[in-house]
PDB file of all heavy atoms in Angstrom:
ATOM      1  N   HIS A 443      43.141 -14.392  24.765  1.00 96.00           N
ATOM      2  CA  HIS A 443      44.343 -15.106  24.310  1.00 96.00           C
ATOM      3  C   HIS A 443      44.414 -15.122  22.780  1.00 96.00           C
ATOM      4  O   HIS A 443      45.497 -14.952  22.205  1.00 96.00           O
ATOM      5  CB  HIS A 443      44.316 -16.529  24.854  1.00 96.00           C
ATOM      6  CG  HIS A 443      45.494 -17.356  24.453  1.00 96.00           C
ATOM      7  ND1 HIS A 443      46.788 -17.051  24.829  1.00 96.00           N
ATOM      8  CD2 HIS A 443      45.586 -18.484  23.684  1.00 96.00           C
ATOM      9  CE1 HIS A 443      47.622 -17.952  24.328  1.00 96.00           C
ATOM     10  NE2 HIS A 443      46.921 -18.826  23.625  1.00 96.00           N
ATOM     11  N   ILE A 444      43.271 -15.314  22.117  1.00 97.00           N
ATOM     12  CA  ILE A 444      43.245 -15.291  20.648  1.00 97.00           C
ATOM     13  C   ILE A 444      43.712 -13.933  20.136  1.00 97.00           C
ATOM     14  O   ILE A 444      44.506 -13.841  19.187  1.00 97.00           O
ATOM     15  CB  ILE A 444      41.826 -15.598  20.124  1.00 97.00           C
ATOM     16  CG1 ILE A 444      41.419 -17.031  20.463  1.00 97.00           C
ATOM     17  CG2 ILE A 444      41.750 -15.391  18.610  1.00 97.00           C
ATOM     18  CD1 ILE A 444      39.955 -17.336  20.198  1.00 97.00           C
ATOM     19  N   GLU A 445      43.225 -12.869  20.767  1.00 96.00           N
ATOM     20  CA  GLU A 445      43.582 -11.515  20.339  1.00 96.00           C
ATOM     21  C   GLU A 445      45.086 -11.265  20.483  1.00 96.00           C
ATOM     22  O   GLU A 445      45.671 -10.494  19.717  1.00 96.00           O
ATOM     23  CB  GLU A 445      42.806 -10.484  21.165  1.00 96.00           C
ATOM     24  CG  GLU A 445      41.308 -10.468  20.909  1.00 96.00           C
ATOM     25  CD  GLU A 445      40.966  -9.889  19.546  1.00 96.00           C
ATOM     26  OE1 GLU A 445      41.698  -9.007  19.065  1.00 96.00           O
ATOM     27  OE2 GLU A 445      39.970 -10.327  18.951  1.00 96.00           O
ATOM     28  N   GLU A 446      45.716 -11.907  21.453  1.00 95.00           N
ATOM     29  CA  GLU A 446      47.162 -11.754  21.642  1.00 95.00           C
ATOM     30  C   GLU A 446      47.954 -12.616  20.658  1.00 95.00           C
ATOM     31  O   GLU A 446      48.925 -12.160  20.046  1.00 95.00           O
ATOM     32  CB  GLU A 446      47.560 -12.163  23.063  1.00 95.00           C
ATOM     33  CG  GLU A 446      47.120 -11.221  24.156  1.00 95.00           C
ATOM     34  CD  GLU A 446      47.542 -11.713  25.528  1.00 95.00           C
ATOM     35  OE1 GLU A 446      47.831 -12.925  25.679  1.00 95.00           O
ATOM     36  OE2 GLU A 446      47.588 -10.886  26.450  1.00 95.00           O
ATOM     37  N   ARG A 447      47.531 -13.861  20.518  1.00 96.00           N
ATOM     38  CA  ARG A 447      48.341 -14.855  19.806  1.00 96.00           C
ATOM     39  C   ARG A 447      48.120 -14.857  18.289  1.00 96.00           C
ATOM     40  O   ARG A 447      49.077 -14.970  17.516  1.00 96.00           O
ATOM     41  CB  ARG A 447      48.031 -16.245  20.374  1.00 96.00           C
ATOM     42  CG  ARG A 447      48.861 -17.366  19.768  1.00 96.00           C
ATOM     43  CD  ARG A 447      48.522 -18.702  20.417  1.00 96.00           C
ATOM     44  NE  ARG A 447      49.294 -19.785  19.842  1.00 96.00           N
ATOM     45  CZ  ARG A 447      50.532 -20.103  20.208  1.00 96.00           C
ATOM     46  NH1 ARG A 447      51.137 -19.409  21.153  1.00 96.00           N
ATOM     47  NH2 ARG A 447      51.173 -21.106  19.633  1.00 96.00           N
ATOM     48  N   ALA A 448      46.862 -14.734  17.872  1.00 96.00           N
ATOM     49  CA  ALA A 448      46.540 -14.880  16.449  1.00 96.00           C
ATOM     50  C   ALA A 448      47.283 -13.885  15.554  1.00 96.00           C
ATOM     51  O   ALA A 448      47.800 -14.282  14.492  1.00 96.00           O
ATOM     52  CB  ALA A 448      45.032 -14.770  16.249  1.00 96.00           C
ATOM     53  N   PRO A 449      47.386 -12.593  15.911  1.00 95.00           N
ATOM     54  CA  PRO A 449      48.124 -11.668  15.031  1.00 95.00           C
ATOM     55  C   PRO A 449      49.585 -12.087  14.829  1.00 95.00           C
ATOM     56  O   PRO A 449      50.134 -11.910  13.735  1.00 95.00           O
ATOM     57  CB  PRO A 449      48.035 -10.325  15.775  1.00 95.00           C
ATOM     58  CG  PRO A 449      46.851 -10.449  16.657  1.00 95.00           C
ATOM     59  CD  PRO A 449      46.788 -11.883  17.058  1.00 95.00           C
ATOM     60  N   LEU A 450      50.190 -12.662  15.865  1.00 94.00           N
ATOM     61  CA  LEU A 450      51.586 -13.090  15.752  1.00 94.00           C
ATOM     62  C   LEU A 450      51.710 -14.319  14.851  1.00 94.00           C
ATOM     63  O   LEU A 450      52.662 -14.436  14.073  1.00 94.00           O
ATOM     64  CB  LEU A 450      52.151 -13.392  17.142  1.00 94.00           C
ATOM     65  CG  LEU A 450      52.078 -12.231  18.151  1.00 94.00           C
ATOM     66  CD1 LEU A 450      52.650 -12.652  19.494  1.00 94.00           C
ATOM     67  CD2 LEU A 450      52.824 -11.006  17.614  1.00 94.00           C
ATOM     68  N   LEU A 451      50.736 -15.227  14.946  1.00 94.00           N
ATOM     69  CA  LEU A 451      50.746 -16.396  14.060  1.00 94.00           C
ATOM     70  C   LEU A 451      50.556 -15.972  12.607  1.00 94.00           C
ATOM     71  O   LEU A 451      51.188 -16.526  11.702  1.00 94.00           O
ATOM     72  CB  LEU A 451      49.640 -17.374  14.468  1.00 94.00           C
ATOM     73  CG  LEU A 451      49.816 -18.086  15.814  1.00 94.00           C
ATOM     74  CD1 LEU A 451      48.603 -18.959  16.116  1.00 94.00           C
ATOM     75  CD2 LEU A 451      51.084 -18.940  15.813  1.00 94.00           C
ATOM     76  N   LEU A 452      49.693 -14.985  12.386  1.00 93.00           N
ATOM     77  CA  LEU A 452      49.490 -14.487  11.021  1.00 93.00           C
ATOM     78  C   LEU A 452      50.755 -13.815  10.494  1.00 93.00           C
ATOM     79  O   LEU A 452      51.078 -13.922   9.307  1.00 93.00           O
ATOM     80  CB  LEU A 452      48.313 -13.504  10.993  1.00 93.00           C
ATOM     81  CG  LEU A 452      46.922 -14.115  11.195  1.00 93.00           C
ATOM     82  CD1 LEU A 452      45.864 -13.030  11.269  1.00 93.00           C
ATOM     83  CD2 LEU A 452      46.593 -15.097  10.073  1.00 93.00           C
ATOM     84  N   LYS A 453      51.466 -13.134  11.374  1.00 91.00           N
ATOM     85  CA  LYS A 453      52.748 -12.531  10.980  1.00 91.00           C
ATOM     86  C   LYS A 453      53.710 -13.606  10.499  1.00 91.00           C
ATOM     87  O   LYS A 453      54.356 -13.478   9.457  1.00 91.00           O
ATOM     88  CB  LYS A 453      53.374 -11.808  12.184  1.00 91.00           C
ATOM     89  CG  LYS A 453      53.051 -10.340  12.297  1.00 91.00           C
ATOM     90  CD  LYS A 453      53.912  -9.744  13.411  1.00 91.00           C
ATOM     91  CE  LYS A 453      53.525  -8.307  13.688  1.00 91.00           C
ATOM     92  NZ  LYS A 453      54.382  -7.712  14.742  1.00 91.00           N
ATOM     93  N   GLN A 454      53.796 -14.679  11.274  1.00 89.00           N
ATOM     94  CA  GLN A 454      54.722 -15.758  10.934  1.00 89.00           C
ATOM     95  C   GLN A 454      54.321 -16.462   9.638  1.00 89.00           C
ATOM     96  O   GLN A 454      55.171 -16.930   8.883  1.00 89.00           O
ATOM     97  CB  GLN A 454      54.788 -16.772  12.074  1.00 89.00           C
ATOM     98  CG  GLN A 454      55.503 -16.254  13.317  1.00 89.00           C
ATOM     99  CD  GLN A 454      55.634 -17.319  14.387  1.00 89.00           C
ATOM    100  OE1 GLN A 454      54.777 -18.191  14.522  1.00 89.00           O
ATOM    101  NE2 GLN A 454      56.709 -17.257  15.157  1.00 89.00           N
ATOM    102  N   LYS A 455      53.009 -16.543   9.392  1.00 88.00           N
ATOM    103  CA  LYS A 455      52.526 -17.244   8.203  1.00 88.00           C
ATOM    104  C   LYS A 455      52.549 -16.364   6.959  1.00 88.00           C
ATOM    105  O   LYS A 455      52.237 -16.825   5.867  1.00 88.00           O
ATOM    106  CB  LYS A 455      51.094 -17.740   8.435  1.00 88.00           C
ATOM    107  CG  LYS A 455      50.989 -18.832   9.499  1.00 88.00           C
ATOM    108  CD  LYS A 455      49.573 -19.314   9.683  1.00 88.00           C
ATOM    109  CE  LYS A 455      49.129 -20.168   8.539  1.00 88.00           C
ATOM    110  NZ  LYS A 455      47.848 -20.843   8.777  1.00 88.00           N
ATOM    111  N   SER A 456      52.903 -15.097   7.123  1.00 83.00           N
ATOM    112  CA  SER A 456      52.876 -14.168   5.991  1.00 83.00           C
ATOM    113  C   SER A 456      53.960 -14.464   4.961  1.00 83.00           C
ATOM    114  O   SER A 456      53.910 -13.972   3.839  1.00 83.00           O
ATOM    115  CB  SER A 456      53.030 -12.727   6.492  1.00 83.00           C
ATOM    116  OG  SER A 456      54.310 -12.540   7.079  1.00 83.00           O
ATOM    117  N   GLY A 457      54.959 -15.268   5.346  1.00 75.00           N
ATOM    118  CA  GLY A 457      56.043 -15.597   4.423  1.00 75.00           C
ATOM    119  C   GLY A 457      57.183 -14.610   4.472  1.00 75.00           C
ATOM    120  O   GLY A 457      58.234 -14.824   3.863  1.00 75.00           O
ATOM    121  N   LYS A 458      57.001 -13.524   5.189  1.00 75.00           N
ATOM    122  CA  LYS A 458      58.059 -12.525   5.306  1.00 75.00           C
ATOM    123  C   LYS A 458      58.994 -12.912   6.451  1.00 75.00           C
ATOM    124  O   LYS A 458      58.625 -13.643   7.357  1.00 75.00           O
ATOM    125  CB  LYS A 458      57.452 -11.148   5.572  1.00 75.00           C
ATOM    126  CG  LYS A 458      56.515 -10.678   4.462  1.00 75.00           C
ATOM    127  CD  LYS A 458      55.847  -9.374   4.853  1.00 75.00           C
ATOM    128  CE  LYS A 458      54.851  -8.939   3.786  1.00 75.00           C
ATOM    129  NZ  LYS A 458      54.120  -7.710   4.181  1.00 75.00           N
ATOM    130  N   ASN A 459      60.191 -12.389   6.394  1.00 78.00           N
ATOM    131  CA  ASN A 459      61.177 -12.650   7.441  1.00 78.00           C
ATOM    132  C   ASN A 459      60.893 -11.720   8.618  1.00 78.00           C
ATOM    133  O   ASN A 459      61.469 -10.638   8.739  1.00 78.00           O
ATOM    134  CB  ASN A 459      62.590 -12.440   6.896  1.00 78.00           C
ATOM    135  CG  ASN A 459      63.641 -12.914   7.889  1.00 78.00           C
ATOM    136  OD1 ASN A 459      63.327 -13.644   8.830  1.00 78.00           O
ATOM    137  ND2 ASN A 459      64.870 -12.487   7.678  1.00 78.00           N
ATOM    138  N   VAL A 460      59.961 -12.153   9.476  1.00 80.00           N
ATOM    139  CA  VAL A 460      59.486 -11.305  10.568  1.00 80.00           C
ATOM    140  C   VAL A 460      60.276 -11.603  11.837  1.00 80.00           C
ATOM    141  O   VAL A 460      60.430 -12.761  12.228  1.00 80.00           O
ATOM    142  CB  VAL A 460      57.985 -11.542  10.825  1.00 80.00           C
ATOM    143  CG1 VAL A 460      57.508 -10.678  11.980  1.00 80.00           C
ATOM    144  CG2 VAL A 460      57.191 -11.240   9.566  1.00 80.00           C
ATOM    145  N   LYS A 461      60.784 -10.558  12.459  1.00 85.00           N
ATOM    146  CA  LYS A 461      61.463 -10.709  13.746  1.00 85.00           C
ATOM    147  C   LYS A 461      60.510 -10.269  14.846  1.00 85.00           C
ATOM    148  O   LYS A 461      59.987  -9.155  14.820  1.00 85.00           O
ATOM    149  CB  LYS A 461      62.740  -9.862  13.781  1.00 85.00           C
ATOM    150  CG  LYS A 461      63.852 -10.393  12.887  1.00 85.00           C
ATOM    151  CD  LYS A 461      65.182  -9.724  13.193  1.00 85.00           C
ATOM    152  CE  LYS A 461      65.714 -10.175  14.535  1.00 85.00           C
ATOM    153  NZ  LYS A 461      67.068  -9.629  14.812  1.00 85.00           N
ATOM    154  N   LEU A 462      60.270 -11.155  15.789  1.00 87.00           N
ATOM    155  CA  LEU A 462      59.348 -10.861  16.876  1.00 87.00           C
ATOM    156  C   LEU A 462      60.106 -10.332  18.082  1.00 87.00           C
ATOM    157  O   LEU A 462      61.204 -10.802  18.400  1.00 87.00           O
ATOM    158  CB  LEU A 462      58.575 -12.118  17.270  1.00 87.00           C
ATOM    159  CG  LEU A 462      57.693 -12.750  16.190  1.00 87.00           C
ATOM    160  CD1 LEU A 462      57.037 -14.010  16.727  1.00 87.00           C
ATOM    161  CD2 LEU A 462      56.636 -11.774  15.695  1.00 87.00           C
ATOM    162  N   ALA A 463      59.489  -9.363  18.742  1.00 89.00           N
ATOM    163  CA  ALA A 463      60.069  -8.819  19.965  1.00 89.00           C
ATOM    164  C   ALA A 463      59.992  -9.862  21.075  1.00 89.00           C
ATOM    165  O   ALA A 463      59.257 -10.852  20.979  1.00 89.00           O
ATOM    166  CB  ALA A 463      59.324  -7.553  20.371  1.00 89.00           C
ATOM    167  N   ALA A 464      60.736  -9.634  22.138  1.00 91.00           N
ATOM    168  CA  ALA A 464      60.775 -10.591  23.252  1.00 91.00           C
ATOM    169  C   ALA A 464      59.390 -10.791  23.851  1.00 91.00           C
ATOM    170  O   ALA A 464      59.000 -11.922  24.190  1.00 91.00           O
ATOM    171  CB  ALA A 464      61.750 -10.099  24.319  1.00 91.00           C
ATOM    172  N   ALA A 465      58.621  -9.703  23.974  1.00 92.00           N
ATOM    173  CA  ALA A 465      57.269  -9.809  24.539  1.00 92.00           C
ATOM    174  C   ALA A 465      56.374 -10.647  23.636  1.00 92.00           C
ATOM    175  O   ALA A 465      55.541 -11.431  24.115  1.00 92.00           O
ATOM    176  CB  ALA A 465      56.676  -8.417  24.728  1.00 92.00           C
ATOM    177  N   GLU A 466      56.544 -10.500  22.317  1.00 90.00           N
ATOM    178  CA  GLU A 466      55.736 -11.276  21.370  1.00 90.00           C
ATOM    179  C   GLU A 466      56.121 -12.755  21.416  1.00 90.00           C
ATOM    180  O   GLU A 466      55.261 -13.638  21.340  1.00 90.00           O
ATOM    181  CB  GLU A 466      55.921 -10.717  19.961  1.00 90.00           C
ATOM    182  CG  GLU A 466      55.323  -9.328  19.779  1.00 90.00           C
ATOM    183  CD  GLU A 466      55.608  -8.743  18.408  1.00 90.00           C
ATOM    184  OE1 GLU A 466      56.723  -8.970  17.891  1.00 90.00           O
ATOM    185  OE2 GLU A 466      54.718  -8.067  17.858  1.00 90.00           O
ATOM    186  N   GLN A 467      57.400 -13.030  21.542  1.00 92.00           N
ATOM    187  CA  GLN A 467      57.846 -14.421  21.654  1.00 92.00           C
ATOM    188  C   GLN A 467      57.307 -15.070  22.926  1.00 92.00           C
ATOM    189  O   GLN A 467      56.955 -16.257  22.937  1.00 92.00           O
ATOM    190  CB  GLN A 467      59.374 -14.480  21.632  1.00 92.00           C
ATOM    191  CG  GLN A 467      59.975 -14.112  20.286  1.00 92.00           C
ATOM    192  CD  GLN A 467      61.492 -14.053  20.324  1.00 92.00           C
ATOM    193  OE1 GLN A 467      62.105 -14.301  21.358  1.00 92.00           O
ATOM    194  NE2 GLN A 467      62.099 -13.706  19.197  1.00 92.00           N
ATOM    195  N   ALA A 468      57.209 -14.280  23.986  1.00 93.00           N
ATOM    196  CA  ALA A 468      56.659 -14.799  25.250  1.00 93.00           C
ATOM    197  C   ALA A 468      55.193 -15.178  25.081  1.00 93.00           C
ATOM    198  O   ALA A 468      54.729 -16.182  25.642  1.00 93.00           O
ATOM    199  CB  ALA A 468      56.816 -13.755  26.352  1.00 93.00           C
ATOM    200  N   ILE A 469      54.465 -14.392  24.288  1.00 93.00           N
ATOM    201  CA  ILE A 469      53.055 -14.705  24.030  1.00 93.00           C
ATOM    202  C   ILE A 469      52.931 -16.017  23.268  1.00 93.00           C
ATOM    203  O   ILE A 469      52.081 -16.860  23.569  1.00 93.00           O
ATOM    204  CB  ILE A 469      52.383 -13.552  23.254  1.00 93.00           C
ATOM    205  CG1 ILE A 469      52.234 -12.325  24.160  1.00 93.00           C
ATOM    206  CG2 ILE A 469      51.019 -13.978  22.711  1.00 93.00           C
ATOM    207  CD1 ILE A 469      51.787 -11.071  23.440  1.00 93.00           C
ATOM    208  N   LEU A 470      53.803 -16.215  22.272  1.00 93.00           N
ATOM    209  CA  LEU A 470      53.750 -17.446  21.482  1.00 93.00           C
ATOM    210  C   LEU A 470      54.120 -18.675  22.306  1.00 93.00           C
ATOM    211  O   LEU A 470      53.737 -19.796  21.970  1.00 93.00           O
ATOM    212  CB  LEU A 470      54.678 -17.334  20.272  1.00 93.00           C
ATOM    213  CG  LEU A 470      54.189 -16.428  19.134  1.00 93.00           C
ATOM    214  CD1 LEU A 470      55.216 -16.383  18.021  1.00 93.00           C
ATOM    215  CD2 LEU A 470      52.844 -16.898  18.592  1.00 93.00           C
ATOM    216  N   LYS A 471      54.862 -18.474  23.379  1.00 94.00           N
ATOM    217  CA  LYS A 471      55.244 -19.600  24.233  1.00 94.00           C
ATOM    218  C   LYS A 471      54.156 -19.968  25.236  1.00 94.00           C
ATOM    219  O   LYS A 471      54.250 -20.990  25.913  1.00 94.00           O
ATOM    220  CB  LYS A 471      56.536 -19.266  24.982  1.00 94.00           C
ATOM    221  CG  LYS A 471      57.769 -19.240  24.086  1.00 94.00           C
ATOM    222  CD  LYS A 471      59.011 -18.854  24.869  1.00 94.00           C
ATOM    223  CE  LYS A 471      60.235 -18.785  23.957  1.00 94.00           C
ATOM    224  NZ  LYS A 471      61.439 -18.338  24.701  1.00 94.00           N
ATOM    225  N   LYS A 472      53.131 -19.133  25.334  1.00 94.00           N
ATOM    226  CA  LYS A 472      52.055 -19.401  26.292  1.00 94.00           C
ATOM    227  C   LYS A 472      51.311 -20.675  25.922  1.00 94.00           C
ATOM    228  O   LYS A 472      51.008 -20.915  24.754  1.00 94.00           O
ATOM    229  CB  LYS A 472      51.061 -18.238  26.323  1.00 94.00           C
ATOM    230  CG  LYS A 472      51.480 -17.069  27.182  1.00 94.00           C
ATOM    231  CD  LYS A 472      50.344 -16.055  27.277  1.00 94.00           C
ATOM    232  CE  LYS A 472      50.717 -14.893  28.172  1.00 94.00           C
ATOM    233  NZ  LYS A 472      49.603 -13.912  28.279  1.00 94.00           N
ATOM    234  N   ASN A 473      50.996 -21.469  26.932  1.00 95.00           N
ATOM    235  CA  ASN A 473      50.181 -22.665  26.752  1.00 95.00           C
ATOM    236  C   ASN A 473      48.759 -22.399  27.231  1.00 95.00           C
ATOM    237  O   ASN A 473      48.533 -21.564  28.112  1.00 95.00           O
ATOM    238  CB  ASN A 473      50.769 -23.838  27.533  1.00 95.00           C
ATOM    239  CG  ASN A 473      52.102 -24.288  26.970  1.00 95.00           C
ATOM    240  OD1 ASN A 473      52.263 -24.393  25.757  1.00 95.00           O
ATOM    241  ND2 ASN A 473      53.061 -24.555  27.845  1.00 95.00           N
ATOM    242  N   ILE A 474      47.819 -23.130  26.644  1.00 95.00           N
ATOM    243  CA  ILE A 474      46.431 -23.019  27.100  1.00 95.00           C
ATOM    244  C   ILE A 474      46.334 -23.486  28.550  1.00 95.00           C
ATOM    245  O   ILE A 474      45.708 -22.837  29.391  1.00 95.00           O
ATOM    246  CB  ILE A 474      45.502 -23.865  26.199  1.00 95.00           C
ATOM    247  CG1 ILE A 474      45.386 -23.231  24.805  1.00 95.00           C
ATOM    248  CG2 ILE A 474      44.126 -24.025  26.831  1.00 95.00           C
ATOM    249  CD1 ILE A 474      44.623 -21.939  24.762  1.00 95.00           C
TER     250      ILE A 474
END
Side-chain angles (χ1 to χ4, degrees):
H443 180 63
I444 294 170
E445 292 289 328
E446 289 179 340
R447 183 178 179 83
L450 303 179
L451 292 177
L452 290 175
K453 267 188 187 182
Q454 289 184 328
K455 293 181 74 170
S456 65
K458 300 174 183 176
N459 189 16
V460 179
K461 289 193 70 175
L462 299 178
E466 292 176 323
Q467 291 175 1
I469 290 171
L470 286 179
K471 289 178 182 177
K472 278 187 178 181
N473 293 317
I474 290 290

